[in-house]
């Protein structure tokens, strides 16, 4: 039932308190938070740095504009509405397609014009936002994920989370949505997390609700065979977010789009700790190692360093 | 980034807090526990005189804080007289005055004194030694003889005084002494002789405290100073040095105890009673002088005091929340909401509070789920929930009252705005993440609130926070330290357990 603190320490697991004090407040300066806490700002910033993100259909900023939401999404097929300052998948509404009768969620659940309007109105009131401040709603085109992933995920876009510490990718996982997570790939909503080897992008182990898992709960597909294509491109994309934001301890969420390849979905200044569970390994030794590296290495060097040092034993040969 | 300034700050806070707390305990006898008993003396002085029919002024010496005793409260009874208290170099005095009075008069003054063995004597300045002491013949030679003899047989001011007193008592009395006693009263005579020898001294008046005694008179004592300003009390009859434990100095600046203008046959007599009181009561009654270190809530009017009693408990609630979040890892809805709920529990008592809280939140959730169909703006919706909560609370109060459950009325102590937000949050949580999260977070909040309540309602904690403001600094230091804790939370030991299993 309980692990001893000594055992966790030996495994290099870091807890919330340590994450907050030792990494977030030390490496992420406060004034940079708005860049990542506001998804619209992140999008604009990424554009300046030539990093692709899902296309923006539009934004809704005032209650007055709420009723224009249906006009805005008309002709777009699938789309996602999200609060600019939301987190953890809260307030994200994914619509897979629309027809004359309304809007269909990945689960097949049908929504109507009023539901959409109420959702947007709630977003603007700050219901889903950090600290309850008033917010704006972003409308994005639906991400169509890579074909090969369809057996691994259920009714939603899987995303890849890479923790980037001082510009080095230190740990990665893929998050697969499930019936429980309602089309969103957020772990505490019930998505399955699969740890990925930093060297190769292959699956290490699966976890749902913090408990080990061998297969996908809805599709039944085993998880061990998962392997991300274009792994190096993806790592470089993640690593370059360090230069983009200046945040030292960063969670990058990426998706593999059928047409555009790896895309940046969003950034996180307070990434969760479940990634340790999916990797079966603590972050501490890796973070300690990075802390000992001199500053100033470029993206290629950092990615190469990480792939070399963080490869899991036995998988090293595949990497080189 | 150096942590030294941080630990320095924590150290300073901790130390200041401890020093302030210990100081209050030692200096003002504030006990560590609320149950401790303290000995309290109730002394009543009754002034009797015969008024001559014209204006009357009565001036009575009053006791002040002193070694062994601390003045708690004072009362007077004196129909028709105007009263003022004077406090100057010649000690504390009460002054009664009336334009016209005739016949027998009685004025009462009563004082409560706390027996405080480690209370220290306030600093006293030695009296001026009069320069022009002259004796008529033949007393001058007698005085000189006695002084010379005592000087011979003594080493310093105190032993000199003792020798001098013994010269006037019992079988040591010689001719010189007998001669002087025919002309002078004993105590003033000894003071005069001491002054003559260049030793500062005064006559003071004290009361021997004995339980249940009535109609007692003051007795004279000698206060003798040496060159360093140290002093001792001597018994003028025996020369015995040191004050008895039960001696209360009533007048200690060499002034008359009682002065009456416009009256005759005046006199003052004393009755006294000893009883034990809970220490906390004794402390409350203490007259506080407002020095900085003695900064105390007790100097506020009673009504503000009881308000502060609650306010000073909030940091305890906050500490419980910090402990549970940082060390245990319990999730609550709204960081400090549990503290407010706990405060409400203090008013309502735990059981009624819990039942009331669950009732209001449950009914609120049901009504809120209907509101969510109405497509309202957030502010409007929360306002509607607030009104609903008020309605629920009113309804419950009336129902409870009708059924004779007076406890139900206390439900109005719940912070309604906070309750409304709680309901709003819970209902969103319900829609977004299902009833399980509602139970986890709602349960977490409730557990935290109950623990905070138990801590805040603990008699010892209430006593200590209210009586020792230094505790607040210590709490602050603890909370700062906790804010710096990078170890695991208790629940993380369970969460991360699967990792250690292979
Ligand atoms: N444009 C989109 N198309 C399809 N699914 C999306 C889209 N945007 C977000 N999602 C789904 O929602 C999840 C959470 O989105 P994200 O932007 O990371 O917000 P959050 O900060 O709440 O985690 C993603 O993992 C993905 O599954
Ligand atoms: Mg995300």
């Amino acid at each position: 039932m309980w692990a001893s603190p000594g055992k966790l320490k030996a495994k290099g697991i870091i807890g919330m308190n340590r994450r907050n004090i030792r990494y977030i407040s030390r490496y992420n300066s406060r004034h940079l938070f708005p860049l990542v806490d506001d998804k619209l700002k992140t999008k604009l910033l990424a554009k300046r740095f030539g990093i692709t993100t899902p296309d923006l259909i539009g934004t809704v900023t005032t209650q007055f504009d709420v009723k224009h939401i249906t006009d805005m999404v008309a002709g777009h097929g699938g789309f996602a509405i999200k609060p600019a300052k939301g987190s953890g998948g809260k307030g994200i509404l994914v619509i897979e397609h629309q027809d004359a009768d309304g809007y269909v969620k990945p689960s097949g659940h049908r929504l109507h014009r009023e539901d959409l309007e109420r959702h947007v109105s709630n977003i603007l009131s700050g219901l889903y936002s950090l600290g309850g401040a008033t917010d704006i709603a972003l409308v994005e085109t639906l991400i169509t994920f890579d074909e090969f992933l369809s057996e691994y995920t259920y009714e939603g876009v899987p995303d890849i989370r890479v923790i980037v510490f001082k510009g080095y990718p230190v740990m990665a996982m893929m998050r697969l949505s499930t019936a429980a997570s309602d089309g969103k790939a957020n772990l505490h909503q019930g998505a399955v997390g699969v740890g990925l080897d930093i060297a190769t992008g292959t699956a290490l182990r699966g976890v749902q609700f913090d408990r080990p898992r061998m297969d996908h709960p809805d599709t039944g597909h085993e998880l061990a065979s998962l392997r991300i294509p274009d792994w190096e491109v993806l790592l470089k994309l993640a690593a370059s977010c360090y230069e983009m934001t200046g945040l030292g301890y960063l969670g990058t969420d990426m998706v593999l789009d059928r047409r555009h390849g790896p895309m940046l979905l969003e950034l996180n200044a307070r990434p969760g700790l479940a990634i340790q569970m999916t990797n079966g390994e603590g972050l501490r030794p890796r973070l300690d190692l990075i802390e000992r590296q001199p500053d100033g290495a470029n993206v290629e060097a950092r990615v190469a360093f990480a792939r070399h040092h963080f490869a899991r034993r036995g998988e090293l040969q595949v990497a080189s | 980034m150096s942590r030294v300034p941080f630990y320095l700050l924590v150290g300073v806070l901790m130390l200041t807090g401890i020093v302030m707390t210990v100081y209050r305990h030692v200096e003002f006898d504030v006990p560590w526990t609320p149950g401790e008993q303290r000995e309290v003396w109730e002394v009543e002085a009754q002034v009797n005189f015969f008024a001559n029919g014209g204006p009357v002024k009565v001036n009575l010496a009053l006791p002040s804080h002193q070694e062994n005793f601390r003045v708690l409260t004072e009362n007077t009874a004196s129909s028709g007289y105007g009263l003022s208290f004077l406090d100057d170099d010649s000690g504390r005095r009460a002054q009664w005055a009336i334009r016209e009075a005739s016949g027998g008069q009685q004025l009462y003054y009563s004082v409560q004194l706390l027996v405080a063995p480690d209370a220290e004597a306030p600093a006293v300045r030695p009296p001026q030694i009069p320069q022009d002491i002259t004796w008529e013949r033949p007393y001058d030679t007698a005085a000189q003889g006695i002084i010379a003899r005592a000087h011979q047989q003594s080493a310093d001011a105190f032993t000199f005084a003792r020798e001098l007193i013994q010269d006037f008592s019992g079988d040591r009395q010689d001719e010189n002494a007998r001669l002087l006693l025919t002309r002078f009263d004993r105590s003033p005579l000894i003071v005069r002789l001491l002054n003559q020898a260049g030793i500062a001294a005064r006559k003071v008046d004290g009361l021997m405290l004995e339980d249940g005694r009535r109609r007692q008179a003051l007795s004279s004592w000698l206060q003798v100073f040496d060159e360093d300003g140290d002093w001792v009390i001597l018994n003028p009859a025996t020369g015995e040095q040191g004050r008895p434990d039960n001696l209360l100095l009533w007048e200690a600046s060499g002034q008359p105890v009682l002065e009456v203008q416009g009256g005759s046959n005046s006199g003052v007599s004393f009755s006294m009673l000893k009883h034990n009181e809970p220490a906390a009561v004794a402390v409350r009654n203490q007259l506080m002088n407002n020095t900085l270190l003695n900064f105390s809530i007790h100097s506020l009017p009673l009504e503000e005091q009881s308000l502060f009693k609650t306010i000073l408990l909030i940091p305890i609630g906050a500490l419980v929340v910090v402990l549970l979040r940082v060390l245990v890892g319990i999730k609550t809805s709204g960081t400090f909401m549990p503290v407010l709920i706990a405060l409400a529990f203090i008013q309502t008592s735990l059981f009624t509070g819990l039942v009331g809280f669950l009732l209001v939140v449950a009914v609120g959730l049901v009504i809120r789920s209907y509101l969510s169909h109405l497509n309202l703006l957030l502010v409007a919706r929360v306002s509607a929930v607030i009104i609903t909560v008020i309605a629920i609370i009113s309804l419950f109060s009336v129902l409870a009252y009708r059924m004779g459950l007076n406890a139900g009325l206390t439900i109005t102590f719940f912070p309604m705005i906070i309750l409304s937000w709680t309901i709003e949050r819970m209902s969103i949580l319900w829609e977004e993440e299902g009833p399980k999260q509602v139970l986890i977070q709602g349960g977490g909040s409730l557990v935290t609130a109950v623990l905070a309540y138990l801590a805040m309602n603990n008699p010892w904690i209430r006593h200590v926070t209210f009586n020792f403001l230094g505790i607040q600094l210590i709490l602050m230091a603890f909370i700062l330290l906790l804010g710096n804790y990078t170890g695991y939370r208790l629940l993380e030991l369970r969460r991360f357990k699967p990792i250690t299993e292979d």
Side-chain angles (χ1 to χ4, degrees):
Chain A
M1 188 76 169
W2 306 87
S4 79
K7 254 189 183 158
L8 290 185
K9 201 160 183 186
K11 276 261 174 190
I13 305 292
I14 65 172
M16 277 294 183
N17 294 329
R18 188 171 175 86
R19 181 201 72 169
N20 292 343
I21 294 171
R22 192 57 182 62
Y23 301 107
I24 294 183
S25 61
R26 185 173 299 189
Y27 290 102
N28 293 352
S29 60
R30 273 267 141 205
H31 74 278
L32 296 174
F33 276 47
L35 288 183
V36 295
D37 282 347
D38 186 328
K39 292 192 169 69
L40 186 59
K41 285 192 181 148
T42 316
K43 241 181 182 12
L44 299 176
L45 189 69
K47 197 168 207 159
R48 279 223 314 276
F49 278 74
I51 293 173
T52 44
T53 59
D55 284 335
L56 188 66
I57 297 176
T59 58
V60 185
T61 50
T62 62
Q63 295 286 353
F64 180 76
D65 289 331
V66 169
K67 52 181 172 297
H68 300 310
I69 181 72
T70 42
D71 302 336
M72 188 185 286
V73 298
H76 274 283
F79 57 91
I81 303 178
K82 41 173 107 169
K85 294 179 190 149
S87 68
K90 276 191 289 225
I92 295 186
L93 179 63
V94 181
I95 299 297
E96 209 170 49
H97 64 272
Q98 43 180 313
D99 53 30
D101 288 342
Y103 306 89
V104 185
K105 298 216 284 181
S107 58
H109 191 81
R110 195 173 281 275
L111 298 182
H112 301 283
R113 182 198 175 107
E114 309 81 68
D115 300 314
L116 232 55
E117 287 179 0
R118 186 180 61 225
H119 189 79
V120 174
S121 166
N122 278 342
I123 290 179
L124 298 187
S125 310
L127 192 50
Y128 309 108
S129 315
L130 296 164
T134 52
D135 203 353
I136 63 174
L138 306 189
V139 187
E140 280 180 357
T141 52
L142 184 74
I143 298 161
T144 41
F145 56 85
D146 217 315
E147 207 87 56
F148 86 94
L149 284 168
S150 44
E151 296 160 308
Y152 295 102
T153 186
Y154 183 75
E155 293 177 353
V157 180
D159 70 2
I160 296 160
R161 156 70 57 93
V162 178
I163 301 282
V164 178
F165 183 53
K166 292 177 77 181
Y168 293 83
V170 287
M171 213 174 251
M173 67 172 163
M174 169 150 250
R175 297 181 298 188
L176 310 166
S177 46
T178 60
S181 72
D182 191 26
K184 290 165 279 186
N186 291 86
L187 289 186
H188 68 267
Q189 301 205 338
V192 173
V194 181
L196 298 174
D197 176 26
I198 282 282
T200 58
T202 48
L204 294 170
R205 55 151 73 188
V207 164
Q208 188 189 27
F209 289 121
D210 286 343
R211 291 290 171 266
R213 185 104 226 172
M214 288 298 142
D215 54 2
H216 192 285
D218 305 308
T219 67
H221 198 280
E222 48 77 40
L223 301 170
S225 60
L226 183 68
R227 183 187 178 123
I228 310 297
D230 292 337
W231 182 240
E232 180 155 11
V233 181
L234 201 128
L235 284 184
K236 283 180 181 160
L237 174 67
S240 63
C241 290
Y242 174 56
E243 273 83 9
M244 180 171 113
T245 58
L247 289 164
Y249 188 76
L250 189 63
T252 57
D253 287 2
M254 285 158 298
V255 286
L256 295 174
D257 191 81
R258 201 170 297 177
R259 282 168 295 149
H260 303 92
M263 275 205 288
L264 178 66
L265 187 57
E266 64 140 354
L267 295 173
N268 243 300
R270 309 170 195 79
L273 296 172
I275 197 166
Q276 301 179 109
M277 310 284 296
T278 64
N279 277 260
E281 192 181 333
L283 276 163
R284 180 94 182 256
R286 300 187 178 190
L287 297 177
D288 286 347
L289 179 65
I290 300 298
E291 270 185 331
R292 290 196 295 271
Q293 302 311 308
D295 293 337
N298 63 16
V299 174
E300 280 74 25
R302 295 198 304 257
V303 169
F305 180 91
R307 293 185 77 187
H308 179 73
H309 284 92
F310 302 147
R312 294 288 275 260
R313 207 182 303 281
E315 293 149 351
L316 195 66
Q317 295 83 338
V318 193
S320 50
Chain B
M1 199 173 55
S2 161
R3 301 299 287 171
V4 173
F6 172 80
Y7 287 110
L8 215 66
L9 174 68
V10 170
V12 166
L13 280 175
M14 192 73 95
L15 210 72
T16 321
I18 292 174
V19 167
M20 275 174 72
T21 307
V22 172
Y23 176 82
R24 264 183 75 73
H25 173 71
V26 171
E27 195 63 14
F28 296 97
D29 271 292
V30 184
W32 293 126
T33 55
E36 267 176 53
Q37 299 276 316
R38 284 283 194 272
E39 231 170 70
V40 172
W41 282 95
E42 190 108 30
V43 180
E44 187 182 83
Q46 182 183 358
V47 176
N48 286 300
F49 63 94
F50 203 81
N52 297 344
V56 175
K57 238 163 94 177
V58 177
N59 194 308
L60 177 71
L62 305 179
S64 20
H65 297 308
Q66 54 187 277
E67 203 181 328
N68 238 348
F69 298 102
R70 183 159 301 132
V71 176
L72 297 180
T73 49
E74 306 176 284
N75 296 298
T76 56
S78 44
S79 59
Y81 281 79
L83 170 70
S84 58
F85 289 99
L86 312 173
D87 193 354
D88 54 25
D89 278 353
S90 51
R92 288 183 344 112
R93 304 189 73 89
Q95 196 170 61
W96 286 274
I98 193 165
R99 189 59 70 181
E100 211 181 297
S102 57
Q105 305 284 315
Q106 261 140 28
L107 303 175
Y108 294 93
Y109 164 84
S110 75
V111 59
Q112 280 195 314
L113 296 152
L114 174 71
V115 178
D118 36 37
E120 268 174 43
V124 256
R125 262 181 296 137
Q128 286 286 317
I129 303 172
Q131 292 306 314
D132 48 348
I133 302 170
T134 49
W135 306 86
E136 303 154 34
R137 298 193 65 108
Y139 304 113
D140 54 349
T141 39
Q144 262 152 32
I146 284 194
I147 290 173
R149 191 189 122 110
H151 191 79
Q152 271 290 311
Q153 298 181 350
S154 65
D156 55 15
F158 300 151
T159 45
F160 177 83
R162 202 167 54 218
E163 284 303 314
L164 204 61
I165 293 169
Q166 276 165 3
D167 278 345
F168 285 95
S169 41
D171 40 330
R172 283 263 305 265
Q173 261 185 29
D174 62 7
E175 261 164 51
N176 286 339
R178 276 197 290 274
L179 175 65
L180 285 166
L181 282 175
T182 58
R183 175 75 174 78
F184 300 96
D185 279 339
R186 175 192 287 264
S187 300
L189 171 63
I190 293 172
V191 170
R192 201 178 157 96
L193 286 167
L194 285 167
N195 288 344
Q196 167 94 15
I199 293 168
R202 62 162 74 107
K203 178 181 93 83
V204 295
D205 296 281
L207 185 66
M208 295 300 281
L209 296 176
E210 278 170 88
D211 193 16
R213 286 305 183 89
R214 296 159 52 78
R215 310 210 152 271
Q216 298 296 298
L218 295 179
S219 46
S220 297
W221 297 78
L222 290 174
Q223 187 180 32
V224 179
F225 294 79
D226 68 6
E227 303 78 40
D228 305 330
D230 293 332
W231 56 270
V232 295
I233 294 282
L234 293 169
N235 185 335
T238 61
E240 210 175 305
Q241 184 176 325
R243 58 184 287 171
D245 278 346
N246 63 339
L247 176 67
L248 171 72
L249 293 183
W250 194 272
E251 199 295 314
S253 30
Q255 306 291 315
V257 173
L258 177 67
E259 286 174 303
V260 177
Q261 291 170 26
S264 53
N265 270 339
S266 62
V268 56
S269 68
F270 298 84
S271 29
M272 58 209 99
L273 206 63
K274 183 171 83 175
H275 53 90
N276 286 324
E277 266 188 22
V281 178
V283 168
R284 195 169 317 135
N285 290 336
Q286 240 173 104
L287 291 179
M288 292 291 178
N289 25 349
N290 278 317
T291 63
L292 192 64
L293 263 181
N294 177 24
F295 181 81
S296 161
I297 300 302
H298 297 291
S299 52
L300 290 174
L302 264 182
E303 204 173 310
E304 276 71 22
Q305 282 191 30
S306 57
L307 182 66
F308 258 100
K309 215 168 200 163
T310 319
I311 292 179
L312 290 175
L313 283 171
I314 292 178
I316 295 285
L319 179 70
V320 171
V321 170
V322 174
L323 278 175
L324 288 181
R325 287 178 73 103
V326 172
L327 294 188
V328 180
I330 284 187
K331 278 192 202 160
T332 60
S333 99
T335 316
F336 287 107
M337 187 271 266
V339 180
L340 297 172
I341 300 295
L343 282 177
F345 285 169
I346 291 180
Q347 310 284 339
T348 60
S349 87
L350 188 57
F351 180 72
T352 9
L354 272 175
V355 172
F357 179 83
L358 290 175
L359 272 177
V360 173
V361 171
V363 176
L365 275 175
V366 172
I367 293 179
R368 165 65 180 73
S369 78
Y370 169 70
L371 285 176
S372 83
H373 292 301
L374 293 182
N375 240 344
L376 300 173
L377 296 182
L378 178 70
V379 192
R381 195 169 56 220
V382 175
S383 306
V385 174
I386 292 177
I387 296 174
T388 313
V389 166
I390 292 174
I392 300 170
I393 287 182
S394 318
L395 189 73
F396 283 157
S397 302
V398 172
L399 276 181
Y401 185 69
R402 283 284 169 82
M403 295 190 298
L405 296 170
N406 280 337
L409 291 176
T410 53
I411 201 172
T412 47
F413 283 110
F414 277 115
M416 303 188 197
I417 310 266
I418 303 288
L419 269 187
S420 310
W421 271 106
T422 307
I423 291 171
E424 177 66 20
R425 288 239 178 78
M426 297 274 180
S427 116
I428 297 296
L429 206 61
W430 194 302
E431 286 174 11
E432 285 261 307
E433 295 177 35
K436 196 175 154 206
Q437 275 297 316
V438 173
L439 281 185
I440 291 179
Q441 295 200 13
S445 305
L446 220 50
V447 166
T448 314
V450 169
L451 288 178
Y453 162 83
L454 290 177
M456 288 157 78
N457 210 35
N458 177 294
W460 184 75
I461 290 183
R462 292 179 80 93
H463 168 80
V464 167
T465 48
F466 184 56
N467 288 295
F468 300 97
L469 286 187
I471 295 290
Q472 304 290 327
L473 296 183
I474 298 177
L475 284 178
M476 177 89 168
F478 266 121
I479 287 178
L480 288 182
L481 275 183
L482 279 173
N484 206 29
Y485 168 75
T486 57
Y488 300 111
R489 299 173 179 176
L490 189 62
L491 291 180
E492 283 175 345
L493 298 183
R494 208 175 89 183
R495 176 182 177 195
F496 292 127
K497 167 87 173 158
I499 298 191
T500 61
E501 269 166 2
D502 43 28

Short mmCIF file of all heavy atoms in Angstrom, two decimals, chain A residues 68-82:
data_model
loop_
_atom_site.label_atom_id
_atom_site.label_comp_id
_atom_site.label_asym_id
_atom_site.label_seq_id
_atom_site.Cartn_x
_atom_site.Cartn_y
_atom_site.Cartn_z
N HIS A 68 -21.91 34.28 -32.17
CA HIS A 68 -21.30 34.11 -33.49
C HIS A 68 -20.50 32.82 -33.61
O HIS A 68 -19.96 32.53 -34.67
CB HIS A 68 -20.37 35.29 -33.81
CG HIS A 68 -21.10 36.60 -33.80
ND1 HIS A 68 -22.26 36.80 -34.50
CD2 HIS A 68 -20.82 37.78 -33.19
CE1 HIS A 68 -22.68 38.05 -34.30
NE2 HIS A 68 -21.82 38.66 -33.50
N ILE A 69 -20.45 32.05 -32.53
CA ILE A 69 -19.60 30.87 -32.54
C ILE A 69 -19.99 29.90 -33.64
O ILE A 69 -19.13 29.33 -34.32
CB ILE A 69 -19.60 30.17 -31.15
CG1 ILE A 69 -18.70 28.94 -31.13
CG2 ILE A 69 -20.98 29.76 -30.70
CD1 ILE A 69 -17.26 29.27 -31.16
N THR A 70 -21.30 29.75 -33.89
CA THR A 70 -21.71 28.79 -34.93
C THR A 70 -21.29 29.26 -36.32
O THR A 70 -20.88 28.46 -37.16
CB THR A 70 -23.23 28.54 -34.89
OG1 THR A 70 -23.87 29.80 -34.68
CG2 THR A 70 -23.58 27.58 -33.78
N ASP A 71 -21.36 30.58 -36.54
CA ASP A 71 -20.90 31.10 -37.83
C ASP A 71 -19.41 30.84 -37.99
O ASP A 71 -18.92 30.49 -39.06
CB ASP A 71 -21.13 32.62 -37.92
CG ASP A 71 -22.61 32.95 -37.73
OD1 ASP A 71 -23.44 32.05 -37.99
OD2 ASP A 71 -22.91 34.09 -37.31
N MET A 72 -18.70 31.03 -36.91
CA MET A 72 -17.26 30.90 -36.95
C MET A 72 -16.82 29.49 -37.36
O MET A 72 -15.92 29.32 -38.18
CB MET A 72 -16.66 31.25 -35.58
CG MET A 72 -15.15 31.34 -35.56
SD MET A 72 -14.55 31.62 -33.90
CE MET A 72 -14.97 33.31 -33.64
N VAL A 73 -17.50 28.49 -36.78
CA VAL A 73 -17.05 27.12 -37.05
C VAL A 73 -17.70 26.53 -38.30
O VAL A 73 -17.32 25.44 -38.74
CB VAL A 73 -17.34 26.19 -35.85
CG1 VAL A 73 -16.59 26.65 -34.64
CG2 VAL A 73 -18.84 26.10 -35.58
N ALA A 74 -18.65 27.25 -38.86
CA ALA A 74 -19.35 26.71 -40.03
C ALA A 74 -18.34 26.38 -41.13
O ALA A 74 -17.42 27.15 -41.40
CB ALA A 74 -20.37 27.72 -40.53
N GLY A 75 -18.49 25.19 -41.71
CA GLY A 75 -17.61 24.80 -42.82
C GLY A 75 -16.27 24.27 -42.39
O GLY A 75 -15.40 23.98 -43.21
N HIS A 76 -16.05 24.12 -41.09
CA HIS A 76 -14.75 23.64 -40.63
C HIS A 76 -14.71 22.16 -40.29
O HIS A 76 -13.66 21.65 -39.92
CB HIS A 76 -14.28 24.44 -39.43
CG HIS A 76 -13.55 25.68 -39.84
ND1 HIS A 76 -12.25 25.68 -40.29
CD2 HIS A 76 -13.95 26.98 -39.90
CE1 HIS A 76 -11.89 26.90 -40.60
NE2 HIS A 76 -12.90 27.72 -40.37
N GLY A 77 -15.84 21.49 -40.37
CA GLY A 77 -15.84 20.07 -40.02
C GLY A 77 -15.57 19.88 -38.54
O GLY A 77 -16.38 20.20 -37.70
N GLY A 78 -14.36 19.42 -38.25
CA GLY A 78 -14.05 19.21 -36.84
C GLY A 78 -13.29 20.40 -36.27
O GLY A 78 -12.59 21.11 -36.98
N PHE A 79 -13.44 20.60 -34.98
CA PHE A 79 -12.71 21.71 -34.33
C PHE A 79 -12.64 21.45 -32.83
O PHE A 79 -13.29 20.52 -32.32
CB PHE A 79 -13.39 23.05 -34.62
CG PHE A 79 -14.82 23.11 -34.18
CD1 PHE A 79 -15.16 23.57 -32.91
CD2 PHE A 79 -15.85 22.71 -35.04
CE1 PHE A 79 -16.48 23.61 -32.50
CE2 PHE A 79 -17.17 22.74 -34.63
CZ PHE A 79 -17.50 23.19 -33.36
N ALA A 80 -11.84 22.27 -32.15
CA ALA A 80 -11.76 22.16 -30.69
C ALA A 80 -11.89 23.55 -30.10
O ALA A 80 -11.29 24.50 -30.61
CB ALA A 80 -10.43 21.54 -30.27
N ILE A 81 -12.71 23.65 -29.05
CA ILE A 81 -12.84 24.94 -28.35
C ILE A 81 -12.11 24.80 -27.02
O ILE A 81 -12.34 23.82 -26.30
CB ILE A 81 -14.31 25.29 -28.09
CG1 ILE A 81 -15.08 25.32 -29.41
CG2 ILE A 81 -14.43 26.63 -27.38
CD1 ILE A 81 -16.56 25.62 -29.24
N LYS A 82 -11.23 25.71 -26.71
CA LYS A 82 -10.55 25.61 -25.42
C LYS A 82 -10.36 26.97 -24.76
O LYS A 82 -10.25 27.98 -25.44
CB LYS A 82 -9.21 24.88 -25.54
CG LYS A 82 -8.37 25.21 -26.76
CD LYS A 82 -7.01 24.55 -26.65
CE LYS A 82 -6.84 23.38 -27.58
NZ LYS A 82 -5.44 22.92 -27.65
#
